[in-house]
Amino acid sequence: MRIGRSATTLFLANAGKALLLFAGTAYFSQVLGGAGFAPAILFEALLGLLSIPADMGLRGAVEKRISEGDRAGVVVATSLVLKTVPLLLVGGVVLLFRGQIAAYLGAPLASLLVLTLAVQEAALVCTAAVRGELRVSASAPIMFSKYAGWVGIGVVLVQFGYGALAPVYGLLGGNVVALLWAVATLRATPGRPAVATARSLVRYARYNVVSDIGGYAYNWIDVLVLGLFVAPASVTAYEIAWRVSMTVMTFSAALSDTIFPQISAWDADGSKRRIEQLLPHMLALSIFVAVPSFFGALLYADAILAFVFAPEYTIAAVALVVLMGEKVFQSVHAVLGRTLQAIDRPDLAAMATVLAIAVNVVFNVVLIQAYGIVGAAAATALSFLLNTVAHGYFVAQFLSIEIPARQIAHSVLSAVAMTAGLLLVRQTFGVTTPLALVGNIFLGGFLYVVAMLLSRQVRWTVRYSFRAGESV
């Protein structure tokens, strides 16, 4: 697996997924309205919450053990057997409290929630196995197909009059498509579950589940708390701002997902030096998109929300700026967090995550009541800054980390130069139409890339990333 090539393929798939998510959110929010789209948003939030006890950290364990050289067929079969019990328990609890869930979601969707959860978990296990085979690029189309199914099926169902249920059924259909694609992509031949493999998976998963909880808390705790204190329309506006900000993570997410199985394989072989050589380059690349996106949000947050979605969602403009700034921290964390898990220290990743979750929950409750959706964004940013620092500290206990200070400084300076150029263009021509907004965004990207490539260190980092890794 060549890291640069695999990361590029995964980035393109993630970018396509982000565009689909962006387009689907824009369409459903405009057609259904803020209140009409809210049940689907809360359904997905609850699906994310339930996926934690339904998985119990096993997906990460599957990818880790296969990348270390364990037989993929045996690992997948064993993990599916292990997941049966928690899935049945979670499904039973959901059906037992179907009345309360219907009241929370605004529709009787408990049975559909259980079915979607089961299909999603099977698809994610198979996808993790493909990545564990050091075939990250082959896994790229799988999650893209999920969101293609979500948008395609959802749009069709809207036309057939399903209303607020259309994006919910679309999510189920998208997961079915992803499962079929993942099964077709997996190279592993079917194996029989093994007790030794089960023990190995559980040893890793018992700590990895805590990191999964942290990921859920990061993605959905703010939305769940907002649902208790603000109107549904404000929840929708915040979720739209959140999804816009998440498009920034396509690049760093591709990097982190690519390096995990490779670092895991090197760690199993005792190739510590190769990991230490790789990390500075990955840290430098991780913020390549996040830094200019923050500066861009300072200029265009209102325009993005008004032109792409609807003027009513500009109430989340400040929250969008804060969330874009937070993505700089998350981009660095994406590399450090996956590195710590890859060197078989999920226990330390769990420790950092527990601390961040506590801060996240407390800050969300306090700041949302004081500042609404801006408070939710600030709470998320503060908790993730702490999480990133903690992960960096733990990684440094095992690996020598060289901070790429020159590349980071050059990224910031390039973003400042980009912003200056865009300010001049905006003052001269204005941004009064969606086409003008798109033109400004592409111009900003061009200016930033040109400024970045003036750095010899940046050019070397790009070349190195395409050579690092091993062919499989």
Side-chain angles (χ1 to χ4, degrees), residues 25-348:
T25 301
Y27 175 80
F28 293 130
S29 63
Q30 290 179 358
V31 173
L32 302 176
F37 192 30
I41 292 175
L42 294 175
F43 181 92
E44 191 173 0
L46 198 53
L47 186 67
L49 173 63
L50 296 175
S51 69
I52 298 171
D55 178 63
M56 296 302 291
L58 284 169
R59 292 193 301 266
V62 167
E63 184 175 356
K64 171 63 177 170
R65 296 311 183 214
I66 292 176
S67 67
E68 291 177 335
D70 290 2
R71 289 180 55 197
V74 175
V75 172
V76 171
T78 304
S79 68
L80 292 176
V81 171
L82 289 173
K83 287 173 72 71
T84 301
V85 173
L87 272 172
L88 289 175
L89 290 174
V90 170
V93 171
V94 169
L95 296 177
L96 181 63
F97 292 96
R98 64 174 64 204
Q100 291 85 341
I101 290 174
Y104 178 76
L105 297 177
L109 299 174
S111 298
L112 188 62
L113 185 62
V114 173
L115 178 60
T116 305
L117 178 65
V119 175
Q120 173 184 273
E121 290 306 306
L124 290 174
V125 165
C126 293
T127 304
V130 172
R131 291 178 175 174
E133 293 174 328
L134 299 185
R135 297 171 58 230
V136 174
S137 59
S139 73
I142 298 174
M143 297 314 294
F144 176 84
S145 69
K146 170 184 173 179
Y147 287 95
W150 173 63
V151 174
I153 296 171
V155 169
V156 170
L157 292 179
V158 166
Q159 304 305 313
F160 279 90
Y162 279 78
L165 295 180
V168 177
Y169 284 116
L171 187 59
L172 171 60
N175 275 292
V176 171
V177 173
L179 173 59
L180 295 175
W181 198 308
V183 171
T185 304
L186 191 60
R187 282 180 181 172
T189 56
R192 297 179 61 181
V195 174
T197 301
R199 289 173 178 165
S200 177
L201 288 172
V202 169
R203 279 198 302 271
Y204 188 90
R206 63 184 178 180
Y207 294 112
N208 190 54
V209 66
V210 180
S211 294
D212 289 345
I213 293 172
Y216 171 80
Y218 172 71
N219 284 311
W220 292 112
I221 285 296
D222 46 4
V223 173
L224 293 173
V225 177
L226 281 169
L228 299 175
F229 294 108
V230 303
S234 294
V235 176
T236 303
Y238 179 82
E239 178 63 16
I240 286 172
W242 171 266
R243 294 191 180 195
V244 171
S245 73
M246 283 304 295
T247 60
V248 174
M249 290 304 300
T250 54
F251 188 71
S252 58
L255 280 179
S256 63
D257 286 341
T258 300
I259 66 174
F260 175 82
Q262 185 63 81
I263 291 178
S264 175
W266 283 342
D267 180 65
D269 291 339
S271 302
K272 177 181 177 181
R273 181 57 184 160
R274 300 182 74 176
I275 301 173
E276 292 174 338
Q277 289 175 337
L278 177 69
L279 278 182
H281 298 288
M282 296 301 101
L283 289 172
L285 289 173
S286 69
I287 63 169
F288 185 83
V289 175
V291 169
S293 296
F294 168 68
F295 282 90
L298 291 172
L299 298 178
Y300 302 116
D302 281 310
I304 291 171
L305 294 172
F307 290 145
V308 179
F309 299 96
E312 65 186 276
Y313 298 123
T314 56
I315 60 173
V318 176
L320 176 56
V321 173
V322 176
L323 289 171
M324 283 295 192
E326 177 270 335
K327 292 303 177 288
V328 177
F329 307 139
Q330 189 188 355
S331 297
V332 176
H333 173 273
V335 171
L336 295 175
R338 295 295 272 169
T339 298
L340 193 58
Q341 292 173 327
I343 62 175
D344 212 14
R345 293 311 304 259
D347 54 328
L348 296 179

